[in-house]
Amino acid sequence: MNQLDQLRQYTTVVADTADFTQIGRFAPRDATTNPSLILRALQQADHARLLDEALARCKGKPVDAVVDTVLVRFGVEILKVVPGRVSTEVDARLSFDTAATIARAHRLVALYERAGVARERVLIKVAATWEGIQAARALEHDGIGCNLTLLFSLAQAVACADAGVTLISPFVGRIYDWHKAAAGAAWDEAAHAGANDPGVRTVERIWTYYKHFDVATEVMGASFRNVGQVAALAGCDLLTIAPELLAQLQASDAPLPRRLDPEAARRAPVHALTYNEPAWRWALNADEMACAKLAEGIRLFAADAARLDAMVEARR
């Protein structure tokens, strides 16, 4: 078997792309999108038609309504290719507004349901701020599954578990990026590869905590920089992988053994954590990497959301 097929033995493979024309050849179960991926896909002529369709349907409506329609149009096309779920992201500019996040999520799900897609096939992506996690708590109560994104720390993961969210997406590559930049010239790539990669270690720690305490929330490693990071997390519940890395895995027949073992996680010496809001905010603040990458990620997604708004305005 090639490495992609080997990985499927232990882990659910998810495609990290909005380009639905690429997904089929990798046969993932699910797919994830975000504003940056949608913006990139809209640069292609065969995808730009989705924006034109949304504009035609939303004449006279505000820009955010058009954008949500575009996001859902991409999701509907993706769901024609994958048998499972698609993740669609709430505007990152709402990351600190619980009520607005809940309202936007309900609107996205309503758009999917009007298009004939059951809510069980949709995960609403929300940034793992305190406000986002509380929004997800309410949405899960309403039967709307959530994918908590921009997640970089165990504190975020523990709060998500307490909120009963469906899935979390810890960002392997962005954690790796921060540690590499912080080390500067002292960074030793070989010493920080595979199981020693700081992003891999963070995901493994979260996954071990969840398995040790039988947390139902799924862990989906995300934001990979290379196939070595993917291979080091074989056995994680899900991994969302960009098409270029999926292609590399598909092209290799090298052994790809399971790395994460649920039984070992259950035996691991893990201590339970609980957070109220002040304790959680302190824990996040004390984690320089997580604090910095969460803020940066929100800014970057917000900037791409603004670019998407500008694209809509220009095409009206």
Side-chain angles (χ1 to χ4, degrees):
M1 289 188 290
N2 63 47
Q3 287 191 317
L4 185 56
D5 287 336
Q6 292 177 65
L7 181 63
R8 289 187 219 279
Q9 296 178 102
Y10 332 113
T11 292
T12 297
V13 173
V14 180
D16 193 18
T17 181
D19 186 354
F20 46 84
T21 62
Q22 291 193 59
I23 295 174
R25 64 194 177 104
F26 302 115
R29 192 195 73 180
D30 299 345
T32 57
T33 66
N34 61 46
S36 305
L37 295 174
I38 296 287
L39 196 63
R40 192 181 311 159
L42 283 171
Q43 312 303 315
Q44 304 174 41
D46 55 343
H47 292 68
R49 65 179 175 81
L50 300 186
L51 175 55
D52 294 331
E53 290 174 12
L55 286 166
R57 292 183 186 185
C58 299
K59 287 182 179 178
K61 292 185 178 181
V63 170
D64 59 271
V66 180
V67 169
D68 281 356
T69 301
V70 172
L71 301 183
V72 171
R73 284 292 295 114
F74 270 93
V76 169
E77 291 300 318
I78 288 167
L79 289 173
K80 293 176 182 177
V81 185
V82 302
R85 306 168 296 189
V86 67
S87 290
T88 298
E89 191 150 347
V90 169
D91 192 324
R93 292 169 291 188
L94 304 179
S95 295
F96 303 102
D97 189 331
T98 297
T101 295
I102 292 169
R104 189 64 65 86
H106 275 283
R107 184 166 77 181
L108 288 166
V109 170
L111 287 169
Y112 271 112
E113 291 180 332
R114 278 186 222 127
V117 174
R119 64 178 58 191
E120 291 75 22
R121 298 196 69 197
V122 178
L123 292 175
I124 297 299
K125 288 180 78 174
V126 178
T129 58
W130 181 261
E131 294 80 3
I133 294 168
Q134 302 320 305
R137 184 191 300 274
L139 291 167
E140 293 282 357
H141 185 265
D142 293 339
I144 296 173
C146 295
N147 172 354
L148 271 289
T149 188
L150 294 175
L151 195 143
F152 304 97
S153 70
L154 182 60
Q156 289 172 290
V158 169
C160 288
D162 180 66
V165 306
T166 299
L167 181 148
I168 61 169
S169 295
F171 275 29
V172 178
R174 296 194 192 192
I175 295 171
Y176 161 88
D177 293 343
W178 187 91
H179 283 278
K180 183 174 181 178
W187 179 259
D188 184 337
E189 188 67 33
H192 294 94
N196 293 322
D197 184 297
V200 168
R201 293 175 69 177
T202 298
V203 176
E204 183 175 7
R205 184 183 182 204
I206 291 167
W207 182 87
T208 298
Y209 185 95
Y210 275 18
K211 295 303 174 242
H212 184 85
F213 292 109
D214 291 319
V215 173
T217 301
E218 299 172 281
V219 179
M220 179 170 70
S223 171
F224 291 102
R225 298 291 178 257
N226 54 66
V227 293
Q229 292 174 334
V230 174
L233 287 171
C236 191
D237 302 334
L238 308 92
L239 298 176
T240 184
I241 307 167
E244 53 269 28
L245 296 182
L246 288 170
Q248 289 181 40
L249 290 165
Q250 199 173 59
S252 174
D253 294 328
L256 197 155
R258 181 171 197 147
R259 299 294 185 184
L260 303 189
D261 176 13
E263 290 305 316
R266 292 186 183 100
R267 295 191 301 268
V270 179
H271 300 290
L273 299 170
T274 57
Y275 295 102
N276 58 18
E277 182 179 351
W280 184 88
R281 291 192 184 281
W282 180 254
L284 182 66
N285 183 72
D287 188 330
E288 183 180 358
M289 176 276 297
C291 197
K293 297 309 284 186
L294 175 59
E296 178 192 64
I298 290 169
R299 289 194 300 270
L300 291 173
F301 281 156
D304 280 340
R307 292 186 186 99
L308 196 50
D309 287 354
M311 184 181 289
V312 167
E313 290 282 20
R315 295 282 284 272
R316 280 184 188 271

